[in-house]
C-alpha cells in the first residue's frame, strides 16, 4: 500500500468545483500543493462536465494539480459497461494500474450513482 492519494473527479465533482464546492476546491489545492496527492480528470467526464457547465473543461485542464486522462483504447473498450461515457471513463480510471496499485477513489457529488460498483467513493456533496 502506498501513502499517495489518487483521486478521480467524476463529471459531477468537476461541475461542483466550477461552482465553488469547498470540498472539491480543497482537493484541487492539495493536488497542487502537497506531494503524494494526485487528481485525475477523465476526458469523457470532462466533456460531460463542460456540457453541464460551459467553461469547466478549459478551467480544470489549466489547473496544474490536475492530470487529464486521455481516452485510450483500453478505456474506450470499457465504455460499453456503463450508462454514460463519463461514468465509464471515471470508473475505468479508478481501477488499479502499475502506477496506482491500490486504484483511485472517485470524488463525486452523486454517490448513489456509484452504489453497487466496484469503486471507492469520496462524497463531495456534504
Amino acid at each position: 500500500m502506498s501513502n499517495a492519494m489518487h483521486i478521480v473527479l467524476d463529471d459531477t465533482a468537476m461541475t461542483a468545483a466550477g461552482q465553488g464546492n469547498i470540498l472539491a476546491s480543497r482537493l484541487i489545492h492539495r493536488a497542487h500543493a502537497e506531494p503524494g496527492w494526485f487528481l485525475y480528470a477523465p476526458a469523457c467526464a470532462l466533456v460531460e462536465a463542460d456540457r453541464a457547465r460551459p467553461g469547466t473543461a478549459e478551467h480544470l485542464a489549466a489547473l496544474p494539480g490536475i492530470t487529464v486522462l486521455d481516452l485510450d483504447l483500453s478505456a474506450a473498450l470499457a465504455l460499453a459497461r456503463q450508462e454514460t461515457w463519463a461514468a465509464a471513463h471515471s470508473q475505468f480510471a479508478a481501477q488499479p494500474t502499475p502506477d496506482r496499485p491500490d486504484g483511485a477513489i472517485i470524488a463525486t457529488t452523486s454517490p448513489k450513482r456509484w452504489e453497487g460498483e466496484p469503486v471507492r467513493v469520496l462524497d463531495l456533496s456534504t
Side-chain angles (χ1 to χ4, degrees):
M1 289 255 231
S2 169
N3 288 333
M5 287 296 298
H6 296 277
I7 300 171
V8 174
L9 297 172
D10 76 357
D11 56 306
T12 68
M14 292 181 207
T15 303
Q19 295 172 325
N21 178 293
I22 190 71
L23 297 175
S25 294
R26 285 180 184 165
L27 287 177
I28 292 167
H29 173 74
R30 282 191 155 183
H32 174 69
E34 294 184 32
W37 281 77
F38 302 94
L39 207 51
Y40 305 97
C44 292
L46 194 59
V47 167
E48 200 59 39
D50 200 69
R51 285 181 179 164
R53 188 172 189 278
T56 299
E58 186 176 1
H59 175 72
L60 288 175
L63 295 173
I66 296 179
T67 301
V68 176
L69 300 176
D70 294 332
L71 180 64
D72 61 11
L73 178 58
S74 298
L77 294 174
L79 292 180
R81 298 185 198 130
Q82 292 286 339
E83 276 187 40
T84 69
W85 285 31
H89 201 185
S90 297
Q91 183 172 340
F92 178 80
Q95 299 308 305
T97 66
D99 293 339
R100 299 184 302 273
D102 297 326
I105 299 166
I106 294 181
T108 184
T109 61
S110 183
K112 289 189 184 291
R113 166 198 265 182
W114 298 104
E115 286 179 359
E117 297 295 338
V119 295
R120 296 174 291 159
V121 172
L122 176 60
D123 185 355
L124 302 181
S125 66
T126 56

